[in-house]
Amino acid sequence: MNIHEYQAKQLFEEYGIPCPKGAATSSPEEFGRCIDSLEKGLIVVKSQIHAGGRGKGTFTDGFKGGVKLAKTKEEAIEYANKMLGNTLVTIQTGEAGRQVQTVYFTEGADIVKEYYLAILVDRATSKPVVVASTEGGVDIETVAEETPERIFKAVVDPAIGLQAYQARKIAYQLGFEGKQAAACAKLILNLYKMFWEKDCDMVEVNPMISTADGGVSALDAKVGFDGNALYRQPDIVAMRDLNEEDPKEIEASKYHLNYIALDGNIACLVNGAGLAMATMDIIHHVGGEAANFLDVGGGANAEQVTAAFKIILSDPKVEGILVNIFGGIMKCDVIAEGIIAAAKAVSLDKPLVVRLEGTNVEMGKKLLAESGIEITSADCLADAARKIVDIVAAK
């Protein structure tokens, strides 16, 4: 789960992480009040969407820049009016872009130098890792490719947490000295505390800045959370912005289904994340493209399977469906009942290939055969993938 920058800054303030003062609103009538709450001086006007590259983005009406620097209150209001309700397209939004429903005003900062700082989970070690660079304000991937010697890392033992010497070492590697190095180390330690206590899976500050008064501050913020830990983070869940999420994924979450929409035209309904990945791979291998990742889990009931089917069929890109079930804890006859119920509920008009194997497989096949629904059966995963790809291609 992701949150907006202004929400991340609220968490930063809670954990003592310095950042420019700001105020957010979704109402044009509140623009003036938000700006008046800031210190006089330059005002930064920021579109709030869950995507990076906002500063270089372009709105669909041609207005350029989802982040603008204003010298006066009137100029800031003018920018905000052009952003709010408009659709911003960035390198991370795709062509459709995202509609800006909140605008964030912050105080301008006296920047001396920009840096990059992030904490995330290192897949190689399965431990948190602090990543920092002297090159801030740009894509870290570009820095890694062109000047990898400017990236510094500290792997954290989760049993003891980030140690002060590790934070100080990073501060010195970034070139800080004296009190400013201490300020940088404190920021890093507080950021790790937030990362750990709030079950974050990624915290990125790009840029982190040094200021003319000798301070160190987080100018921007991007924070993501481990969805599996949200049950113990009610304050974080309260920050969820459903407008930034795919409606199909929201509906899936109501039934505890693991669903991610993709760009292909062949929908998959599978039990088990590994089996889902294998199914998507083999569809691609035989010339098709998956429309989604959907894992109904090992203990799904007929109601969940029916909901999964309805979510799949609500995607207009879907031209065919592949059900691939290995019945272990989940019995094949339960899947069959879900398929039949969903097909009757939505008047199934898409080709459907079903591969069942495992517990109660014969009972499941019998239910499908007697259902009156047009279904193509498959004996194995490869056979199922080829059949659905061929059927869709022949349409």
Side-chain angles (χ1 to χ4, degrees), residues 49 51-61 63-66 86-100:
I49 60 172
R54 292 171 298 166
K56 296 180 180 178
T58 301
F59 290 90
T60 50
D61 65 355
F63 181 62
K64 294 185 179 301
N86 206 346
T87 300
L88 179 61
V89 180
T90 79
I91 57 173
Q92 293 186 8
T93 63
E95 295 180 357
R98 296 276 181 83
Q99 187 181 43
V100 177

Side-chain angles (χ1 to χ4, degrees), residues 288-339:
E289 294 296 338
N292 63 270
F293 169 97
L294 173 54
D295 170 18
V296 296
N301 54 37
E303 181 188 13
Q304 287 175 293
V305 174
T306 302
F309 236 77
K310 289 180 179 178
I311 291 167
I312 283 175
L313 293 171
S314 69
D315 185 346
K317 298 193 302 297
V318 170
E319 298 181 54
I321 303 168
L322 170 57
V323 174
N324 181 29
I325 296 296
F326 183 82
I329 298 174
M330 169 176 282
K331 298 179 178 65
C332 292
D333 57 312
V334 172
I335 286 292
E337 290 172 353
I339 293 171

Side-chain angles (χ1 to χ4, degrees), residues 36 83 127 136 154 198 208 241 301 313 335 345 354 366-367:
D36 290 340
M83 293 177 185
K127 296 178 180 178
K198 293 299 182 184
M208 178 179 75
D241 184 354
N301 54 37
L313 293 171
I335 286 292
V354 178
K366 183 173 184 293
L367 286 171

Side-chain angles (χ1 to χ4, degrees), residues 102-362:
T102 302
V103 177
Y104 184 41
F105 301 93
T106 72
E107 296 172 353
D110 190 3
I111 303 172
V112 174
K113 181 171 172 49
E114 296 184 348
Y115 305 83
Y116 177 91
L117 178 65
I119 304 176
L120 61 159
V121 177
D122 180 22
R123 295 182 186 277
T125 62
S126 298
K127 296 178 180 178
V129 60
V130 181
V131 180
S133 174
T134 54
E135 306 303 304
V138 298
D139 295 332
I140 194 65
E141 291 84 1
T142 302
V143 181
E145 182 176 346
E146 298 178 356
T147 54
E149 70 278 6
R150 295 179 181 176
I151 295 180
F152 311 102
K153 297 181 181 179
V155 177
V156 182
D157 184 337
I160 59 175
L162 180 67
Q163 299 298 290
Y165 80 88
Q166 292 179 295
R168 287 196 299 270
K169 182 178 180 180
I170 291 175
Y172 289 128
Q173 287 172 322
L174 293 177
F176 290 108
E177 296 179 348
K179 293 182 178 179
Q180 205 162 30
C184 178
K186 184 178 180 181
L187 185 153
I188 294 171
L189 288 167
N190 287 344
L191 199 67
Y192 181 81
K193 188 171 189 287
M194 187 191 96
F195 173 87
W196 185 258
E197 291 183 352
K198 293 299 182 184
D199 290 311
C200 301
D201 58 17
M202 190 275 293
V203 177
E204 183 183 71
V205 180
N206 188 24
M208 178 179 75
I209 60 169
S210 58
T211 55
D213 61 0
V216 181
S217 177
L219 199 62
D220 202 348
K222 183 184 293 184
V223 180
F225 301 89
D226 180 355
N228 293 316
L230 288 176
Y231 70 94
R232 58 187 182 193
Q233 301 290 352
D235 57 330
I236 300 301
V237 174
M239 295 181 174
R240 186 178 181 184
D241 184 354
L242 297 180
N243 294 316
E244 292 286 333
E245 300 180 25
D246 187 310
K248 297 187 293 299
E249 295 180 8
I250 296 172
E251 184 67 15
S253 68
K254 296 178 182 176
Y255 293 90
H256 305 291
L257 301 169
N258 295 310
Y259 174 91
I260 299 174
L262 302 174
D263 295 330
N265 60 348
I266 297 175
C268 311
L269 190 158
V270 184
N271 64 325
L275 191 58
M277 296 295 287
T279 304
M280 293 161 59
D281 284 347
I282 202 164
I283 287 173
H284 179 75
H285 180 70
V286 297
E289 294 296 338
N292 63 270
F293 169 97
L294 173 54
D295 170 18
V296 296
N301 54 37
E303 181 188 13
Q304 287 175 293
V305 174
T306 302
F309 236 77
K310 289 180 179 178
I311 291 167
I312 283 175
L313 293 171
S314 69
D315 185 346
K317 298 193 302 297
V318 170
E319 298 181 54
I321 303 168
L322 170 57
V323 174
N324 181 29
I325 296 296
F326 183 82
I329 298 174
M330 169 176 282
K331 298 179 178 65
C332 292
D333 57 312
V334 172
I335 286 292
E337 290 172 353
I339 293 171
I340 294 168
K344 291 180 178 178
V346 301
S347 301
L348 180 64
D349 59 352
K350 309 289 183 184
L352 172 63
V353 173
V354 178
R355 179 249 178 172
L356 298 177
E357 191 55 79
T359 306
N360 290 355
V361 63
E362 295 305 326

Side-chain angles (χ1 to χ4, degrees), residues 15-79:
Y15 279 85
I17 300 165
C19 56
K21 187 178 179 182
T25 181
S26 299
S27 169
E29 290 74 23
E30 294 291 315
F31 288 165
R33 181 192 61 79
C34 290
I35 295 169
D36 290 340
S37 70
L38 308 178
E39 296 289 339
K40 303 299 180 187
L42 294 174
I43 305 161
V44 186
V45 188
K46 295 186 167 186
S47 303
Q48 297 297 283
I49 60 172
H50 289 180
R54 292 171 298 166
K56 296 180 180 178
T58 301
F59 290 90
T60 50
D61 65 355
F63 181 62
K64 294 185 179 301
V67 177
K68 304 290 282 189
L69 187 63
K71 296 180 180 178
T72 65
K73 177 179 178 179
E74 291 73 23
E75 191 178 19
I77 291 175
E78 179 184 350
Y79 287 146

